[in-house]
Amino acid sequence: MHKKTLISTVVAFSLAGLLLGGCGSKSSQKSASDSTKAAKVTKITAVGSTALQPLVEQAAQDYQASNKNVNLTVQGGGSGTGLSQVQQGAVQVGNSDIFAEQSSGIKADKLVDHKVAVVGMTPVVNPETGVTNLSMAQLRDIFTGKITNWNQVGGKNQKISVINRAQGSGTRATFEGAVLEGKKAITSQEQDSNGTVQKLVATTPGAISYLAFSYVNDKVKAVSIDHVKPTDANVTTNKWTIWSYEHMYTKGQPNKATAGFLKYMNSSKVQGSLVKKLGYISIHDMKVTKNAKNVVTK
C-alpha cells in the first residue's frame, strides 16, 4: 500500500514537472519571439541632392537616437540620381533640388513631393579675383564664355576658370534657370557635388562656380548680384532669385516608418532649429511660393 502511494506520488510530481517544463519552454519561446519582433528594424535609404544631404544626414542621426527601430542611410549622387532611384523603387526617398516635373525621364505623377526646406544658391569665386559684385548680365556672360578675364568686370588681370556642376545636378538646373535665360553654358570642368566645388574654387586661381548657401565658407567669396546680397532674408522675398525648394520624393505614399521620418523633417525641432543652424531656410519662413514652371507668387 505504501509502495503504491509512493509510486503514485512520484508519477504525479513527474507529470507536474513535465507540464511546468513545457509551459516554461513555451514561455521562453514566446519571450524570444517577442524580442525578435521588438528588435525588427526598418531600413530607409534616402539618395540624391548633395545640397540637401547635410540636413537630412543630421536629421537622420537625431531621429535614430530616439527611434531605434529605424535605420536611416543618406547618400548623395545628385538630384537626377535621387529622382531616378526613387522612381525605380530602389530607395525609399529621392532627395532633389528641383521639381520632379523638371527632370527628363521622370514620371512626376507617380511620385509624392514632400518639401522640407528652401536653399539659396550663390555664385562664388576664389577670393584672389578681387570681385565682390556682378550684374546678372555679367554673370550670364561669364558662364556662356563672353567674358573671360576678371579685369573685364573690375577684378584683377586673371583668366576666369569656370567650374560647373554635372548634368543632372539640381543645383545646376536651379542656377542656370535663374541666370542663363535659356542660353547654353560654356564647356568647362564639371563636378558632382557642392563639397568638391567648394574645395576647387578655394584652391583654383581665377575660379568661379556656385554653391548652396550651406556650403559657403571663408575660403570662398560669395558674390552679390546687382548689389543684392545672397542672404536668407532676400531669398524669402525673392529679392535674391537663385533658390529652390528641397524636396524629398517618395514613390506613392510612404510606408509608416518613412512617413514618420518625413513628419519629423517638418517638425518644429527641425524647421525651427536644425534647418537654420545648417544654413537652410525653413519653408515656413517663405513670403513667396514657386511652382514647377518657376513662376513665383506672393
Side-chain angles (χ1 to χ4, degrees):
M1 182 69 179
H2 288 294
K3 283 185 179 181
K4 284 183 180 180
T5 302
L6 183 59
I7 290 170
S8 297
T9 302
V10 170
V11 170
F13 273 112
S14 297
L15 286 171
L18 285 169
L19 287 170
L20 287 170
C23 289
S25 177
K26 287 180 181 177
S27 178
S28 298
Q29 289 173 0
K30 185 178 179 183
S31 177
S33 176
D34 288 347
S35 296
T36 301
K37 288 179 182 177
K40 185 178 179 182
V41 174
T42 301
K43 181 167 181 164
I44 300 170
T45 302
V47 171
S49 164
T50 61
L52 179 55
Q53 189 175 355
L55 174 61
V56 181
E57 281 181 338
Q58 187 58 60
Q61 185 177 324
D62 296 345
Y63 186 73
Q64 287 177 113
S66 54
N67 292 272
K68 304 295 185 184
N69 62 329
V70 175
N71 184 306
L72 278 152
T73 301
V74 183
Q75 300 171 352
S79 297
T81 298
L83 290 169
S84 176
Q85 291 282 297
V86 75
Q87 177 173 266
Q88 293 171 21
V91 298
Q92 288 69 47
V93 179
N95 295 332
S96 176
D97 306 326
I98 58 175
F99 286 90
E101 292 89 339
Q102 295 172 322
S103 184
S104 61
I106 299 299
K107 297 177 181 177
D109 60 332
K110 303 296 183 184
L111 303 179
V112 177
D113 186 7
H114 310 270
K115 297 182 185 74
V116 297
V118 168
V119 63
M121 298 167 190
T122 179
V124 291
V125 298
N126 182 286
E128 300 301 316
T129 61
V131 171
T132 59
N133 179 77
L134 293 167
S135 70
M136 185 65 83
Q138 288 173 332
L139 184 61
R140 186 180 308 116
D141 286 348
I142 288 172
F143 275 86
T144 55
K146 289 183 179 179
I147 293 176
T148 57
N149 194 299
W150 286 113
N151 64 11
Q152 294 174 262
V153 291
K156 68 192 299 187
N157 183 16
Q158 186 178 54
K159 181 183 177 182
I160 295 174
S161 178
V162 174
I163 299 172
N164 215 336
R165 289 293 304 279
Q167 292 289 346
S169 160
T171 303
R172 175 172 178 165
T174 300
F175 180 82
E176 291 187 348
V179 176
L180 298 193
E181 293 186 340
K183 294 180 174 63
K184 187 177 180 181
I186 187 175
T187 300
S188 63
Q189 67 163 304
E190 298 180 352
Q191 297 298 330
D192 289 332
S193 72
N194 277 273
T196 303
V197 167
Q198 177 201 73
K199 292 173 184 176
L200 281 173
V201 171
T203 57
T204 304
I208 183 172
S209 190
Y210 45 88
L211 291 171
F213 285 4
S214 53
Y215 281 88
V216 176
N217 61 15
D218 58 4
K219 294 180 181 179
V220 297
K221 179 65 181 177
V223 177
S224 297
I225 300 176
D226 294 317
H227 301 287
V228 176
K229 293 182 178 181
T231 65
D232 291 358
N234 285 335
V235 168
T236 63
T237 60
N238 199 49
K239 190 174 181 181
W240 182 268
T241 58
I242 313 173
W243 62 272
S244 70
Y245 291 110
E246 291 300 337
H247 312 261
M248 296 180 73
Y249 279 99
T250 56
K251 187 176 184 180
Q253 292 300 326
N255 60 35
K256 185 177 179 181
T258 304
F261 179 56
L262 291 171
K263 184 178 180 181
Y264 175 74
M265 289 296 299
N266 271 304
S267 69
S268 58
K269 184 175 182 180
V270 174
Q271 293 295 317
S273 177
L274 190 60
V275 163
K276 296 174 183 178
K277 178 182 176 183
L278 295 180
Y280 300 84
I281 301 163
S282 171
I283 53 175
H284 306 304
D285 291 341
M286 294 300 291
K287 309 292 192 301
V288 296
T289 60
K290 183 190 288 186
N291 64 20
K293 295 180 179 179
N294 287 327
V295 176
V296 177
T297 56
K298 290 185 179 180

